[in-house]
Amino acid sequence: SFVVPSGLRSEREIDYYKKMKQGQLEKMKILLEPLLEPDSLKRTCRTHGMTPLHIATGFDLLGYNDLHEMLDRYPKAASVRSKTKGHELYCLDLHEKLQENEVEKSDEWKLKKELLFAYHPQLKSYRRDKDFLASCVKLIRDEITGKGSYHLQEMKKRQQNAKPRIDLTDILSSVMAPEVNKPKSTKSSKSVVDLTPNAGRFLKTLSMGSSLSFAKPEKAKKKPKTKKPSLLTSIYDEDEIDKEYVLSPQGSDSDDEDDFLSPRVGDFSDVITSAAQAAGPGGPKKAASVDSEVDSFDKQEEVSPDANGSSLLSDVAHRLWCFFVLYRNPMKPGDNYCKQVEKILDGLEFDVADRMLTMPLPEFARVYLDDEIQNEEEAILREVANPFCKAFFHSIYHFLGRFEFSATSDKILIHRSSDDNTIWVRATEHKSSTAEYKKEDLAPGIAEASIWETGQMVEEAAPAKPEFVESTADVCFKLTRNQTAFENETESRNVLTNTLNEGHIVPTLGIYNALGDSKTDRRYQMDTHDQRFQTLVLHDGESIKLSDYSFALVFPYDKDDDLYDFVRHHGRMSAEEVMEVVTDITKALCCIHEEGGNVGSFSIREIRKISTASGRKAWGFSNLSNGSLQSDSAPFMGRIAPNGTPHFKTGLLPPEMFVKVTPEELRIYQNYWAEIERTFNISVDKSVIEPYTTEDGYNYVLRCHYVPEKGQDSTLPELPYDLIRFSTTSDMWCLGQVLYTLCSGGRALLPSNLRTDHLLDFERVIGWGDQNSLSSIYQHVKDPLAQDLILKLLSSQKERSALTMKDLVAHPFLNKATPGGERIVKKRQQEKAAFDRRKRTMATEKSEAGWLQSRTTQIVCWDFDVLKKMHFSCSALVQSQLDAPRMPCSFIVLPYLLSAKNKKGKLAPKSKTDVERSEQMGVLLLSLFKACHFTVVARDVIVTGHGEHWTASKLIESMSLPDGSDFEEYKDLLVMIGAENVEAFRTEPMIILYKLVGRYVENIMKCFQKAGKAFFYFVDEYTGTPIVAESSAPYPMELQNRNTDAMVSMILPFMFSSMFSSCAIHGGVSGLVRLIFEAAYPHVPASWASAGGGLSHSLDVDMFESQISMLQDTLAFLFLSKIKKIFGKIS
């Protein structure tokens, strides 16, 4: 009735066949319901070898829950295969053919496929379908992570509506079957049970096995075996009708691999017998299958009841999980599902993963195990997992999958950086793997000899199964907070691949970045926050949090591989050992430089033994955190990290990193770091930014600079020095220090802290290059060739930049075949002798100086520069001329306010108008200064003339002035005033001079009148700058006097004195620049240079007295002229 007639059909015929087919399916469904009893589900028909499950799936008769009910009652039905030749099919195959028969590939169809596959997952055609396996992985992971699934949802519904399971066999056995009339037959009549459809539907209410809980499981207890009840038969079993459905053994001659791996089910009684033998104590062990295995039907499957109502795992997910974890193929070890297991557990918290691995081994999963472990009781999944999965599970229980800190017996702390940002700790690496042993073929002739001698064939040994293997090794963890150092290290290693491959750099076993996005970086971030590893105990109760260290590198560990520890444990190295170390390090540097890199800075702590490809252990570098590339954009040395800690060690820096600064540059330097600390709210390490002052009073600072974090404001204050980039010269300086330490028996070239490598005293590195600093090389290094090489490495920056590592490798100290060694030895011996002579001479001179000093009385006094500033200060000059009381006499009045400071902290006018006014004021003061000088010279000529009648031209000719045009303006003005006052010039020529100076005084008064304001400043007579500090309040002070002329007349002599003193001390007009416009210093405006041309700025007291008296006489003359004008108007 399911066969569709061929040919054209009408709509009526199509509807008829659809209705007929639907009716047949309904009848089949009704007839199938009584077969839901477990014993009935095991029966197979003789013709096709099909079980009720085959019919239900092949014709799509039952829904998901009914199909699940059948599998729950008889799980092994999914592994039974039909026997029709050419159509040997599993239930999953029939379900798959529904799609070929135009059955819609719905969600329910996919769910049924997952259900059938979970109960028999060994089929090759399905277990190797990547897309289908991915959906199974997603199913398990969704249930683990709490997203749930349809399988889990339906299982919970069944558990909520579950009723006690009742064995229907017991119910039917208690029913007295009535007699029924039957046609005559040679067979005896049987009792008949009326199995109505309602009886089949009743089975749907029976409970199914409960699912797995995520509560921490206890190991399952072995259930006692109970005797199975005898099977009941119906009268239809021996009925003559439909005899072809009598049970019979099932067999096939097919050689299909799935058929070989999955034995077919035949007569149920035979299966029961064989299963009982396999399960019995005296029966043979059941062989493990590869792709399919039918377990004994009388075993009851274990269930794990929900212990605490926590998240559940459906039986479908549970079966799939067990299959992925346990499946193994002895003939093909690579056939496993470790990748799927890794995807399921990826990113899960340890507690969840641990509960997944410690599930009790369910009874149905024993079919996947080998013979020797199949009968283990109270096993958990982790213990019996596939060797490849077991190796992966092993990684879950260690830090980053393979490291353990608690396994080390000694203290794990190796070294700690001085800034406490980096630590080196010891750990144990657990290497887990699977060892596969290949079958060894017999040697030629062995088999023939055995047959000839014994008459038997030698059997070849079967290949051994893969085994889980674990080994351990000591490693060193470098944990750091310094992102810059970590990035330098990783970038350098990525570039220096050839150097790394040749064994000149310690290889890394792992690089981890908690800020990265890779799988290993995410694992590091997760494990450092895991409670199992979060706190690491170092020693004596001290502990650290791994989560505080965002970056980590892992290296091989050997306690004597570090050069520092090697020297400390073995003592002074022999000449051959020193030669070996220096040769290896020089070759390593040569290779690094050829690849365009720099180590940056290093000491004997960063040098260690490295295993090379040849098996020899050579000396190389273990730290590249200061490394960089050789380019114009290479980073600058002296970097201060964003947290204020130095990214360098002062004891390893070359001399060019220390610079001498003037007091003004020192102030800029100190303001720079004060601004950095205030802007970025950090505290910079004072030991590296504090200036060093020598005995003679000079200041030296380190060329360091602040490097802000990415994204921070990069606008930084100005530094008073140029920065120096990393280059090969810094590597040569460090190599010279290492060579000196090795050749001198462990002495340090510069006095530095043993733990931090920071300098204890800058004196020696500042004066490096003189005879005193080089004396230690001749004194403590005995080999002349070593002396020559060290002197080359520790030479000036210019000389080092002309060297290459190839030149150093060819040096006679490292290569005896290089010519010129004898000449070098002779030269160094001569210099050593000269050094000894100088040393004796210095000792004699020192002894004589000591003798003289012991008999000399020391008098404390100021040096000449200080005494000069004190003697020629404005106050001293004014007091000597005016006989004024001892009081500050150095002050100025300006028509503008000095309130703003530039980036260097220097005073400047606040507005553009004030800047222009300050330039005008400088020109006016210099012009007055020059007029006073001009008139003083003229007055001296007039005084020596003894009453001679003067004319302007005659006076100018008699004056001794510098050649040039510097005084032409004043000569012209003298002629003009003389022409206006001819008679006065003849009788009183001094009046003409007073009027000339008065013109410039009046220009200054007009400047103040135009500005309409005046500010009074005291002047620091030592620095020559106005005082504007908050502590000097109320100065600067704004003057409120409305009579500007009178104010200028009173203060102008003091301003003139301050200007004269400042220009004389600074030796030029720049002294006036500091006085009234400090921000422009040392630049002199062009207008000022022109106005001050021809003046001699020297500390000449007589000249000062003459000029100040001329100015005072002029002011008096102007005052009297005003009085006369006033009285003239009154009269």
Side-chain angles (χ1 to χ4, degrees), residues 592-635:
I592 291 173
H593 290 178
E594 286 180 352
E595 285 198 86
N598 297 312
V599 180
S601 64
F602 60 89
S603 65
I604 59 175
R605 284 192 177 275
E606 282 79 33
I607 299 174
R608 59 177 298 182
K609 286 185 177 180
I610 306 171
S611 298
T612 60
S614 62
R616 172 180 172 269
K617 280 195 171 185
W619 295 96
F621 295 100
S622 62
N623 182 18
L624 297 177
S625 60
N626 288 315
S628 64
L629 303 180
Q630 299 175 21
S631 66
D632 294 337
S633 60

Side-chain angles (χ1 to χ4, degrees), residues 450-470:
S450 176
I451 294 175
W452 182 262
E453 295 174 1
T454 63
Q456 297 180 355
M457 186 73 174
V458 177
E459 295 183 358
E460 296 181 354
K465 300 172 184 177
E467 297 181 357
F468 173 75
V469 178
E470 180 184 5

Side-chain angles (χ1 to χ4, degrees), residues 771 775 778-779 830-839:
Q771 295 299 326
S775 63
Y778 289 116
Q779 183 177 356
Q830 292 175 351
E831 290 188 1
K832 175 67 165 54
F835 162 74
D836 292 338
R837 287 194 299 271
R838 286 195 301 270
K839 188 177 179 181

Side-chain angles (χ1 to χ4, degrees), residues 365-545:
R366 293 182 180 272
V367 68
Y368 307 127
L369 306 182
D370 297 328
D371 294 342
E372 57 269 19
I373 61 175
Q374 197 174 74
N375 296 325
E376 287 188 8
E377 297 184 358
E378 299 183 358
I380 59 176
L381 294 184
R382 179 189 173 190
E383 297 172 349
V384 296
N386 180 288
F388 294 92
C389 292
K390 185 181 289 187
F392 168 67
F393 294 161
H394 188 77
S395 67
I396 296 178
Y397 292 86
H398 292 107
F399 181 67
L400 298 176
R402 52 190 177 129
F403 301 109
E404 184 179 5
F405 296 104
S406 60
T408 56
S409 57
D410 300 329
K411 296 178 181 179
I412 67 173
L413 179 63
I414 300 175
H415 180 62
R416 190 199 312 266
S417 65
S418 58
D419 57 8
D420 205 27
N421 282 330
T422 305
I423 62 170
W424 286 259
V425 295
R426 192 155 54 92
T428 300
E429 180 185 17
H430 293 265
K431 302 177 182 178
S432 57
S433 60
T434 53
E436 299 181 23
Y437 302 95
K438 296 182 180 180
K439 180 179 68 175
E440 296 183 1
D441 297 331
L442 297 176
I446 297 296
E448 293 80 356
S450 176
I451 294 175
W452 182 262
E453 295 174 1
T454 63
Q456 297 180 355
M457 186 73 174
V458 177
E459 295 183 358
E460 296 181 354
K465 300 172 184 177
E467 297 181 357
F468 173 75
V469 178
E470 180 184 5
S471 60
T472 60
D474 288 338
V475 296
C476 171
F477 258 85
K478 180 182 179 181
L479 303 168
T480 181
R481 303 186 184 100
N482 195 326
Q483 184 174 0
T484 303
F486 175 79
E487 291 175 351
N488 287 346
E489 179 93 28
T490 54
E491 181 181 1
S492 298
R493 289 180 175 275
N494 291 335
V495 173
L496 304 176
T497 54
N498 292 336
T499 308
L500 190 62
N501 295 334
E502 293 179 11
H504 297 308
I505 300 175
V506 176
T508 56
L509 303 177
I511 299 176
Y512 305 95
N513 179 1
L515 307 180
D517 296 328
S518 66
K519 183 178 179 180
T520 54
D521 291 339
R522 292 196 302 270
R523 175 68 184 270
Y524 178 76
Q525 183 182 20
M526 183 176 65
D527 280 7
T528 52
H529 289 81
D530 193 319
Q531 292 184 354
R532 297 174 296 154
F533 316 117
Q534 190 173 18
T535 302
L536 179 61
V537 179
L538 300 179
H539 63 87
D540 298 333
E542 182 187 3
S543 62
I544 61 171
K545 285 189 176 181

Side-chain angles (χ1 to χ4, degrees), residues 1101-1121:
V1101 178
D1102 295 335
M1103 178 61 71
F1104 171 75
E1105 292 176 355
S1106 300
Q1107 291 180 3
I1108 198 69
S1109 64
M1110 176 60 72
L1111 179 60
Q1112 287 179 314
D1113 292 343
T1114 300
L1115 292 174
F1117 173 78
L1118 293 176
F1119 177 75
L1120 292 174
S1121 298

Side-chain angles (χ1 to χ4, degrees), residues 162 190 363 412 424 713 796 937 1079:
K190 300 288 184 179
E363 192 67 30
I412 67 173
W424 286 259
D713 183 12
S796 65
V937 175

